Amino acid sequence: MESTRIARADELTEVQRIEVASGAPFREIGMVDVADMPPLPLDALATCQRAGGLRVAVDAEDRPLAFAVLDLVDGCAHVQQLSVDPTYARRGIGRRLLDDVAGWAIGQGLPALTLTTFRSVPWNGPYYARCGFRELTGAQVTPGLAELLAAEAAIGLDPAERVAMRRPAG
């Protein structure tokens, strides 16, 4: 059974490896540009790790299997990235990591988790809906989330396929 914790500084390249590996399934559904996106830079991961916003799910030998990158957007814990090593997919690891993040958010006094994701990719929007997130529409999309969606569109992600979602932390 895996556990979750803040990532260590010596695990940043492993986090990048997991992120690259988790992109492979996008290639299988024709989203090659998404599959080929580079991982988050080491300096950005290091900054996040030092702030306590890089959490990992680890196996019994304390090796990372999945990670979540957290930020603060409009007063909520924003899940910037959640990736599970495909070798360990479909075992509930991502869901348990999200539950851990929710606990972290409660400890920080934050009311909810937010994220942006692909609306119809099975392991994105539909998955997060099963994990308790709901799609935000119109005025529910806060200014910070709107900025993130606009930035995603600017790098070529189809705005019609992107969605902002929210889940209460408690």
Side-chain angles (χ1 to χ4, degrees), residues 114-130:
T114 61
L115 54 82
T116 60
T117 193
F118 288 102
R119 173 178 279 115
S120 57
V121 172
W123 58 91
N124 279 202
Y127 169 77
Y128 290 117
R130 290 191 306 275

Side-chain angles (χ1 to χ4, degrees), residues 50-167:
R50 285 190 299 272
L54 178 59
R55 302 198 61 87
V56 291
V58 296
D59 65 13
E61 285 78 43
D62 203 36
R63 293 178 302 218
L65 308 175
F67 72 91
V69 174
L70 310 173
D71 202 355
L72 188 63
V73 174
D74 297 326
C76 294
H78 184 74
V79 182
Q80 179 183 338
Q81 178 76 29
L82 176 76
S83 294
V84 177
D85 185 320
T87 304
Y88 301 95
R90 305 186 61 83
R91 298 183 190 182
I93 295 169
R95 181 183 297 264
R96 287 190 293 277
L97 188 52
L98 284 171
D99 290 344
D100 172 74
V101 168
W104 174 86
I106 290 168
Q108 301 296 310
L110 304 173
L113 308 181
T114 61
L115 54 82
T116 60
T117 193
F118 288 102
R119 173 178 279 115
S120 57
V121 172
W123 58 91
N124 279 202
Y127 169 77
Y128 290 117
R130 290 191 306 275
C131 291
F133 285 81
R134 63 177 174 77
E135 184 174 338
L136 301 176
T137 58
Q140 295 173 327
V141 178
T142 61
L145 292 174
E147 285 180 28
L148 290 172
L149 290 167
E152 293 169 356
I155 63 166
L157 298 180
D158 181 357
E161 286 297 314
R162 298 297 290 175
V163 62
M165 301 182 84
R166 179 182 170 112
R167 167 187 164 174

